[in-house]
Amino acid sequence: LKRLHMLVHVAEQLRLTVRQVPYPDYKTASHLVEALSQLLEHFAAYTAKVEPMKILSGKVTDYQEALRKSVVTGFRVAAFGYAKAMQLEGKKMPDDDDAEDRKEPPAPPTSVLQGGIMLIDALGEDCRKHFIHVFCEDALGDYLKEFEPPDRSVKPERRVSSFKVAEVKPEPENTQAGLDQIDKRFAWFANVPMHTIKKKFGNVFPQEWNLQASLANMFLQLVRF
């Protein structure tokens, strides 16, 4: 019974953490997640049979997912700014008429980002691997725009009028798409994503995450193709 009271109390504390603005206290949330993991493991036999326990377990999962997404957003804002972070998440920015009512959250400080790392670790190895993959994809997002040739399989549409076929202007060639520009590709990698990590996240990612190796591996896969 004492552990059940603890489970309900810690779950409520995690719910309140999710609602904190502009960014949750990820460090505290990481400790709550670890405690909940142990408590839910103790009640594992009940979550499938007792409906209130099943509901509580589902809510804990929802809180953890909300915190995980919040960490991803925070890192995107820190790396690229609020506007591009919203673009990466597929969210529409408010119209200019609503600009006065729009309050963009500030970039999270290093202490908040470090807490986010603690939370990701508390959520488990799979969550950490997924977070690293998403972070590397974001960091290399502009590579294809700068160095890949246009897709020749997609033909431009011709607008036909009753008088003549509209002239189709040829697409400009990407002058950096050739293999002879390979040195520029590696220079971009060193000057853009690697520089961003050193400048904005130098004291954030722990060494055991080996983030630079994951980023370099994903970059080499892009260069290979």
Side-chain angles (χ1 to χ4, degrees), residues 14 25 31-32 40 49 58 77 95 99 123 173 211 217 219:
L14 189 65
D25 183 354
H31 299 317
L32 295 174
L40 287 172
K49 300 177 181 179
V77 172
D95 297 332
L123 291 174
E173 292 287 345
L211 180 74
N217 180 65
F219 171 72

Side-chain angles (χ1 to χ4, degrees), residues 135 139-140 187-198 215 219:
F135 181 89
L140 298 172
W188 176 90
F189 177 71
N191 294 329
V192 180
M194 291 298 291
H195 178 73
T196 298
I197 290 177
K198 292 179 181 179
L215 184 66
F219 171 72

Side-chain angles (χ1 to χ4, degrees), residues 9-116:
H9 174 72
V10 176
E12 175 63 14
Q13 292 301 311
L14 189 65
R15 183 187 71 84
L16 295 176
T17 303
V18 173
R19 300 180 62 181
Q20 293 176 343
V21 292
Y23 298 102
D25 183 354
Y26 298 122
K27 182 177 181 180
T28 298
S30 68
H31 299 317
L32 295 174
V33 167
E34 291 174 348
L36 284 168
S37 177
Q38 297 177 7
L39 290 167
L40 287 172
E41 184 178 357
H42 177 75
F43 289 101
Y46 298 92
T47 54
K49 300 177 181 179
V50 182
E51 188 64 21
M53 290 296 299
K54 183 179 180 180
I55 294 174
L56 180 60
S57 178
K59 287 184 177 180
V60 169
T61 301
D62 292 341
Y63 300 153
Q64 292 177 346
E65 178 63 10
L67 286 167
R68 184 197 67 81
K69 290 181 178 179
S70 177
V71 173
V72 173
T73 299
F75 272 81
R76 284 172 168 169
V77 172
F80 310 110
Y82 181 76
K84 186 171 181 180
M86 294 299 100
Q87 180 183 358
L88 288 171
E89 297 185 1
K91 297 180 180 178
K92 185 179 179 181
M93 294 290 291
D95 297 332
D96 293 338
D97 296 338
D98 301 329
E100 295 182 358
D101 299 331
R102 182 182 64 199
K103 294 183 179 179
E104 299 181 0
T110 299
S111 59
V112 172
L113 297 175
Q114 290 172 338

